[in-house]
């Protein structure tokens, strides 16, 4: 295996899943490191410095939700949550605390690796250059792609990677309707295989930081049946 192989930190306590993932992900070109409980995951992150984290929700010592929350205080490394089948609340909470995507058990290796590669796209230039590197200013929101900085109403805000990229796309196209498929393609990649719930949760999180009244948004507008629009007139 190449020394430059991407590193995935698998946080999982079910041994059958661990062994299958180690074999399958190594075959797909990843270097696999394993943590078997939540506290070990936090320790291993600093040692391993992974390119992507595959994080089970149900873990000994500290839940995956709490691990995700702690990691998001110090890193934008892509995180994919793994939930039990039908665990809707785990999915939503995981995305709300900063996960980039989720999969449900049981999952197919091909789908999992496609999602891992999608969330590992770190910059717009790696997705074909849809977005420029110029600082964007729409009303009282200023976004600097080079510095990964956002200022809202004069105050700096720290945004997780996917929220940042989503806001970048919306601001760069302020006043235009962006179809849901376009936003998913730009932020999660053209080979994203999940549903649109991930986009909706990220929009909700962005509104909580951008809107003065998130329950009645006037900036990030839903265009029913199409997608979303950043209303530059309302934000001026």
């Amino acid at each position: 295996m190449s020394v430059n192989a991407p590193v995935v930190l698998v946080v999982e306590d079910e041994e059958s899943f661990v062994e299958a993932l180690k074999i399958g992900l190594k075959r797909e070109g990843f270097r696999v490191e394993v943590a078997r409980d939540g506290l070990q995951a936090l320790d291993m992150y600093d040692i391993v410095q992974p390119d992507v984290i595959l994080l089970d929700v149900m873990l000994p010592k500290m839940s995956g939700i709490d691990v995700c929350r702690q990691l998001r205080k110090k890193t934008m490394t892509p995180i994919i949550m793994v939930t039990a089948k039908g665990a809707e609340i785990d999915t939503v909470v995981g995305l709300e605390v900063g996960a980039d995507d989720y999969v449900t058990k049981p999952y197919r290796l091909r789908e999992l690796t496609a999602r891992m590669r999608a969330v590992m796209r770190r910059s717009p230039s790696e997705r074909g250059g849809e977005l420029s590197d110029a600082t964007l200013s729409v009303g009282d929101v200023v976004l600097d792609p080079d510095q990964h900085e956002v200022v809202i109403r004069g105050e700096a805000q720290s945004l997780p990677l996917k929220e940042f990229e989503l806001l970048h796309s919306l601001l760069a196209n302020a006043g235009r309707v962006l179809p849901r498929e376009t936003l998913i393609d730009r932020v999660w990649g053209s080979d994203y295989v999940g549903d649109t719930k991930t986009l909706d949760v990220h929009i909700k999180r962005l509104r909580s930081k951008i809107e003065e009244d998130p329950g009645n948004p006037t900036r990030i507008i839903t265009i029913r049946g199409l997608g979303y629009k950043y209303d530059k007139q309302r934000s001026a």
Side-chain angles (χ1 to χ4, degrees), residues 137-149:
S137 179
V138 182
D140 53 13
V141 177
V142 180
L143 181 146
D144 184 340
D146 289 336
Q147 300 299 318
H148 194 90
E149 293 177 349

Side-chain angles (χ1 to χ4, degrees), residues 34-55:
V34 179
R36 288 178 169 80
D37 63 61
L39 293 179
Q40 186 181 26
L42 295 178
D43 291 337
M44 286 193 65
Y45 172 81
D46 294 323
I47 298 170
V48 173
Q49 293 292 301
D51 297 291
V52 60
I53 301 168
L54 190 61
L55 178 61

Side-chain angles (χ1 to χ4, degrees), residues 71-144:
L71 287 172
R72 278 293 173 256
K73 293 179 179 179
K74 62 180 179 179
T75 179
M76 292 295 105
T77 299
I79 297 174
I80 298 178
M81 302 293 296
V82 180
T83 69
K85 186 176 182 180
E88 183 82 10
I89 186 64
D90 288 341
T91 297
V92 173
V93 173
L95 292 171
E96 287 180 344
V97 298
D100 296 282
D101 200 357
Y102 70 94
V103 294
T104 56
K105 293 179 179 177
Y107 45 75
R108 296 181 178 179
L109 182 65
R110 180 173 296 180
E111 176 186 353
L112 176 63
T113 54
R115 294 193 183 202
M116 289 169 63
R117 291 191 172 103
V119 299
M120 285 170 61
R121 290 179 173 86
R122 300 298 299 187
S123 67
S125 62
E126 292 174 340
R127 292 193 300 276
E130 299 97 331
L131 300 175
S132 73
D133 293 330
T135 297
L136 298 172
S137 179
V138 182
D140 53 13
V141 177
V142 180
L143 181 146
D144 184 340

